[in-house]
Amino acid sequence: MARDVDGLPEALTDGFTRHLEVDVLHGTDRVASAVVDEWSLTSDLSRDPRTTGSLRIVHSSVKGESWVPDGVDGVLSPFRATLLLTEVVSAGQFTRRVQLGMFDVVEVPFAEDVTAHVGGRWVSRHESEGDIVPVDDMVPFDDVLPGEFLYAGGQLVGGHERVVASIVDVEVESLDGRVLGASLRSPRTTSGSALAEWRHLGLLPVAVTGDGTLPPTTWPAEQGSRLDAVHKCAQVIGGTAMVDSFGQWVLVDDDADEVTLTLGDRGTVTDVSSSLTLDGFYNVVVGNYETEDGREIRATWVAPGSFSPEVMGREIVRYAGGGLDGVRTQSAAQQAVNSIGEAALTRTVDVEVVCVYNPLVELGDRATLTGWHRTVSGVVQKVSMSDQATMQVVIREARPL
Amino acid sequence: MKFEEVVSRKFADASRVSTSVGEFVGMVGSLARVNMQGSTVDIRCDGWTPPIPGMPVRVETVNSAMRVVGPSQTLPARGKVIAALEGGARARIAVGGDEWELPVMAPYTPLPSDVVILNWQSGHVLGEEAAAPSVPDPGTNPGGGGGAFTNLVIQPTASGKYDTNWNNWWGLPEVQASNNNKGIWVYSGRFSALSGANITRVEMFLPTPIVAVGAAFVGLHAYSSIPGGEPSITSTVALPARSGWVTLPASWGNHLRDNPSHGIGVTSGAGNNRWPGVGQASQSGWVRFAGTR
């Protein structure tokens, strides 16, 4: 969950106004701030980078400066700008700020300056020619600026075009995009603490409490190798890696924060649906592992009870094995296939929730939905939020079948 | 062609590759007989003849075709004689953690404890090694991934001010350093992210102060969250600036690395300085580090 803020959940059940504040950072130095009206962010735990979004930044120029980027120049240049997004929620006297996170600008698909002519003076023809203009010569002048006199003919003398506002659309992505881009320049051999390796490779601070033991591993130097290595370290520690709203690596499963969404009269949830699928189910697990010196280890698991192949009438086999799981003994192999098998008996159900905008809901949170015909509790798998009044949240719930 | 069909054809074109290990039993014609995955199978064995039954071999499956591609682990070229068998025609050899019975080349008479050279292609003991080849030093390279870093940002989780006259925390999360107020930022142990690094530069961000009068000092404290009573702030130095990124003593970096639950606070004693705290202004109390790992 984003930083807990006193009283905010209560405020969200009633009337409130909000706006998104953007601090533009170059590196970590703040160079500008703006308020954004049109924006959207979509987060999904099953893709890299986890969060992408777009914002329309309208900057009212103070001294004629333009925010339209040009190469590495410009406040919002994709080559250097990082945005710190903070949602400000107000209800009367009550104001709270919730930091949504840091995002790198990766693209500016549209940028435009609005200009106005300032200074100078309109010189009419009769003034410039020192003559009275015949009525016949008076033609309608169709580009009348506010406060200007309507003269037939004449011209603007002096002054210059000046930027009064810049409209810049930016596409952003979460900071794991940096790690995705920073592939390893040379291969690297490692073993031992997965947490130490994660800190070495992760580029961002790693706020994880557990640890695991990496088997002797060599990360290749290929596209995306650094992010792959981070994900494997997280897998060895026992979770899924993501970058949170503080710009640090966390484990999804490590996150004890809980956010509650409520359906009903005082609730903020407006729509709930769910689905169930056989996709991904298996009732037999065959593990083919090998010892350190390359001898075969084999273990199998067959589902008991109503999910056994005999009772279900169909056998769905899943293979397990591979190098990084660290299974090197017969007992470890049996343990591994048992745990993979038991996971099959827990179905993951995606519950899609439409609720009133709540900036505290963050990807990877443990979320509880109350007030529906049953209580749903799971990990927030997807979040789509924007300047709209509602947001979409997908809670992935693990239920025993 | 519909998009779905294009995608499914692309997937159908992708090679399916898997690897597993088995135990070589013997050759059956040109096929290798291998015990693997609970059955005995005859598989093509391309470009390599496994000579010795009992040897672990690697089997690769590419698009449903299985091949024995070689021994699953390289067997050492050296072994140690345990015993001579059959009058010296064969020998029991210790190789790695295993024992093998191998025939001996004619001129050599095996003696226990001899270090012998083995030919795994034919499965013979070639003879005793008189001297080992010298191995050139390959040098070591640290490998990719680490190195120097800047802008490693740790963000605080809370902040506050403590009034030493009234002995209470008040007006959270504002931070104040005055005659009778001390302020701190706490980080919930997040400096553990510095583990394994050597920090050479530490800077902290102070938002534009609400008031900035008189002296202000910055120091270290030992709290991971806002404590119950008066905070103790030590190692204080004069605050070099009241807003923006402020450089702190470089030694604090490795101190925070070694004491990850600690944090940073401000005091005055003769002045009044107030800053917006965590959640009141962007970047309040952020700490950025430069160093190597």
Side-chain angles (χ1 to χ4, degrees):
Chain A
M1 186 163 70
R3 180 179 286 124
D4 192 12
V5 182
D6 285 347
L8 188 61
E10 291 72 31
L12 292 171
T13 63
D14 223 323
F16 63 92
T17 60
R18 64 191 178 99
H19 64 265
L20 187 69
E21 218 175 86
V22 176
D23 292 308
V24 186
L25 312 178
H26 288 177
T28 45
D29 295 330
R30 184 163 15 150
V31 294
S33 298
V35 170
V36 168
D37 298 318
E38 247 182 279
W39 61 277
S40 69
L41 288 176
T42 307
S43 309
D44 188 339
L45 268 186
S46 56
R47 67 170 193 202
D48 294 316
R50 305 290 197 216
T51 302
T52 57
S54 58
L55 299 90
R56 166 161 286 192
I57 296 173
V58 180
H59 171 68
S60 298
S61 188
V62 180
K63 293 176 289 188
E65 76 278 12
S66 164
W67 275 22
V68 172
D70 179 17
V72 294
D73 294 328
V75 167
L76 289 169
S77 169
F79 294 94
R80 57 199 304 209
T82 301
L83 305 183
L84 173 64
L85 304 185
T86 307
E87 184 72 12
V88 183
V89 176
S90 314
Q93 292 271 323
F94 176 94
T95 300
R96 294 291 183 269
R97 297 162 53 88
V98 181
Q99 182 173 311
L100 298 184
M102 281 196 282
F103 302 89
D104 283 333
V105 175
V106 291
E107 194 183 336
V108 175
F110 171 86
E112 176 182 75
D113 279 330
V114 179
T115 60
H117 198 99
V118 294
R121 192 171 70 92
W122 189 266
V123 181
S124 69
R125 196 200 294 172
H126 72 265
E127 191 180 347
S128 60
E129 294 176 359
D131 201 1
I132 301 296
V133 184
V135 176
D136 294 355
D137 282 2
M138 292 188 77
V139 288
F141 188 66
D142 59 0
D143 190 17
V144 183
L145 299 171
E148 291 286 356
F149 293 102
L150 178 62
Y151 279 111
Q155 58 183 329
L156 198 52
V157 175
H160 59 279
E161 286 292 309
R162 176 174 155 148
V163 175
V164 291
S166 301
I167 302 169
V168 185
D169 286 352
V170 297
E171 302 281 334
V172 296
E173 65 180 33
S174 48
L175 297 190
D176 43 341
R178 288 183 191 178
V179 183
L180 176 63
S183 308
L184 297 175
R185 293 188 192 182
S186 329
R188 171 179 162 81
T189 292
T190 188
S191 62
S193 165
L195 183 57
E197 183 63 10
W198 190 349
R199 284 180 176 142
H200 185 83
L201 295 175
L203 300 182
L204 306 169
V206 181
V208 171
T209 47
D211 200 354
T213 306
L214 275 174
T217 307
T218 298
W219 311 121
E222 60 175 25
Q223 288 299 325
S225 53
R226 186 186 295 264
L227 188 61
D228 285 350
V230 164
H231 284 322
K232 276 168 189 159
C233 288
Q235 193 188 328
V236 166
I237 295 173
T240 306
M242 59 167 274
V243 176
D244 72 359
S245 54
F246 297 101
Q248 57 187 3
W249 282 115
V250 293
L251 279 184
V252 168
D253 300 349
D254 213 18
D255 196 351
D257 286 328
E258 186 143 331
V259 60
T260 303
L261 301 169
T262 314
L263 199 67
D265 286 345
R266 291 288 295 164
T268 57
V269 177
T270 59
D271 196 11
V272 182
S273 64
S274 72
S275 59
L276 185 63
T277 172
L278 189 70
D279 189 28
F281 176 80
Y282 43 88
N283 54 10
V284 174
V285 180
V286 177
N288 292 313
Y289 299 99
E290 52 191 273
T291 61
E292 207 64 65
D293 58 358
R295 289 175 200 280
E296 183 187 23
I297 309 173
R298 186 173 167 79
T300 52
W301 174 90
V302 179
S306 48
F307 297 104
S308 67
E310 294 75 25
V311 180
M312 261 187 81
R314 51 202 289 195
E315 177 166 309
I316 306 168
V317 179
R318 180 180 158 164
Y319 297 98
L324 254 182
D325 38 43
V327 172
R328 293 287 181 268
T329 62
Q330 183 67 45
S331 63
Q334 193 59 50
Q335 217 175 343
V337 293
N338 287 356
S339 76
I340 294 167
E342 275 144 28
L345 300 184
T346 310
R347 295 300 300 129
T348 55
V349 181
D350 280 355
V351 179
E352 195 173 323
V353 176
V354 177
C355 64
V356 173
Y357 177 78
N358 181 348
L360 295 180
V361 176
E362 193 180 350
L363 195 67
D365 283 350
R366 294 206 70 80
T368 305
L369 172 69
T370 59
W372 200 34
H373 66 84
R374 62 180 176 80
T375 299
V376 174
S377 183
V379 172
V380 174
Q381 187 74 15
K382 290 182 195 172
V383 183
S384 303
M385 52 171 68
S386 68
D387 51 288
Q388 304 291 310
T390 58
M391 62 192 273
Q392 287 84 47
V393 180
V394 174
I395 301 173
R396 181 158 289 182
E397 185 191 29
R399 300 180 69 198
L401 279 171
Chain B
M1 196 157 38
K2 281 198 290 188
F3 177 68
E4 289 82 356
E5 290 170 337
V6 176
V7 172
S8 63
R9 283 191 187 192
K10 289 280 182 204
F11 274 117
D13 287 344
S15 295
R16 286 169 297 125
V17 181
S18 65
T19 179
S20 52
V21 289
E23 186 182 329
F24 175 71
V25 180
M27 294 301 287
V28 181
S30 64
L31 298 177
R33 179 159 286 176
V34 178
N35 283 338
M36 62 178 290
Q37 298 180 359
S39 54
T40 301
V41 289
D42 295 339
I43 310 172
R44 277 183 58 180
C45 180
D46 290 346
W48 180 77
T49 311
I52 301 170
M55 193 181 266
V57 289
R58 181 160 303 283
V59 177
E60 291 207 337
T61 310
V62 180
N63 287 342
S64 302
M66 297 170 80
R67 298 270 192 291
V68 177
V69 294
S72 63
Q73 291 274 309
T74 308
L75 292 163
R78 288 178 184 75
K80 192 175 261 186
V81 178
I82 299 170
L85 306 168
E86 298 170 19
R90 299 173 74 81
R92 183 183 296 277
I93 315 286
V95 183
D98 289 327
E99 290 183 14
W100 297 83
E101 273 185 34
L102 300 171
V104 172
M105 293 290 277
Y108 174 62
T109 310
L111 289 172
S113 300
D114 277 0
V115 173
V116 289
I117 300 299
L118 310 169
N119 179 6
W120 291 105
Q121 190 67 34
S122 65
H124 283 89
V125 177
L126 299 183
E128 191 185 3
E129 181 180 48
S134 58
V135 181
D137 180 7
T140 51
N141 298 300
F149 60 86
T150 56
N151 277 338
L152 186 79
V153 173
I154 308 280
Q155 301 186 23
T157 50
S159 60
K161 57 184 172 183
Y162 185 87
D163 190 310
T164 51
N165 282 353
W166 291 89
N167 291 320
N168 64 349
W169 293 93
W170 65 288
L172 294 171
E174 200 174 270
V175 179
Q176 187 170 9
S178 71
N179 295 3
N180 52 324
N181 275 279
K182 294 174 171 182
I184 64 170
W185 287 266
V186 295
Y187 298 85
S188 298
R190 287 180 175 172
F191 294 118
S192 63
L194 303 174
S195 174
N198 183 39
I199 306 299
T200 53
R201 187 175 173 85
V202 186
E203 290 160 291
M204 180 191 203
F205 190 86
L206 295 174
T208 307
I210 303 160
V211 182
V213 176
F217 300 93
V218 62
L220 293 162
H221 66 72
Y223 314 102
S224 64
S225 59
I226 300 286
E230 182 181 342
S232 163
I233 298 171
T234 57
S235 314
T236 51
V237 295
L239 202 53
R242 304 293 159 94
S243 68
W245 286 104
V246 175
T247 304
L248 304 178
S251 62
W252 288 14
N254 287 349
H255 172 87
L256 291 168
R257 175 196 66 193
D258 299 336
N259 301 278
S261 63
H262 288 195
I264 297 171
V266 283
T267 63
S268 171
N272 186 17
N273 299 274
R274 286 166 60 203
W275 291 273
V278 173
Q280 293 182 314
S282 299
Q283 297 182 285
S284 175
W286 284 22
V287 186
R288 72 181 179 193
F289 298 92
T292 53
R293 70 158 92 234

